[in-house]
Amino acid sequence: MKTVEFLLYTLKPGTGSDFHRIMEEQSVPCHRDAGMDIVSFGNSMDDNDAYYLIRAYDDLAHLKTSQEHFYSSPAWREGPRQAIIDKISVSVKTVMVLSESAIDSLRSG
């Protein structure tokens, strides 16, 4: 069992494609370099300006320490942070515990 965080973003109109490019080219590699497990990410199938990011952690404490480390790092703060924040209108987060098989079924191909 792992702790899984689901982030849902409503992006500013017309920014979905650019947001995804930044995620693919900068943010996700930055997350992975920091040791974070990115399960899946992308634009919604029905709205290019709606976006999701799914991350998995060992437990809630691991989520907290990983994020504290990542979000205070120069790689994030001097990297894609501002470009990403500028495109988000609303951010919603939920956290739950899922089995490894459920997480694997969510993984991007």
Side-chain angles (χ1 to χ4, degrees):
M1 300 297 275
K2 293 250 186 176
T3 297
V4 181
E5 175 190 52
F6 293 82
L7 292 159
L8 301 175
Y9 303 116
T10 300
L11 304 175
K12 294 178 181 171
T15 64
S17 294
D18 194 35
F19 188 89
H20 184 64
R21 182 188 54 75
I22 294 165
M23 288 295 291
E24 276 190 315
E25 295 175 4
Q26 298 177 47
S27 184
V28 168
C30 189
H31 277 80
R32 289 186 171 142
D33 287 347
M36 295 177 100
D37 181 4
I38 303 297
V39 175
S40 188
F41 64 98
N43 301 86
S44 173
M45 292 175 64
D46 69 338
D47 181 354
N48 200 51
D49 292 329
Y51 206 85
Y52 68 93
L53 172 62
I54 305 170
R55 302 184 285 198
Y57 302 90
D58 294 335
D59 52 35
L60 205 50
H62 181 228
L63 180 153
K64 183 178 178 184
T65 58
S66 293
Q67 290 187 8
E68 285 173 355
H69 173 75
F70 176 76
Y71 288 119
S72 65
S73 73
W76 171 250
R77 297 185 86 52
E78 297 166 15
R81 179 184 179 270
Q82 197 60 50
I84 286 175
I85 289 171
D86 288 347
K87 291 169 183 52
I88 297 173
S89 291
V90 177
S91 176
V92 177
K93 173 177 123 171
T94 193
V95 177
M96 63 181 67
V97 174
L98 293 175
S99 68
E100 293 281 352
S101 62
I103 295 167
D104 287 343
S105 70
L106 292 170
R107 288 197 187 278
S108 297

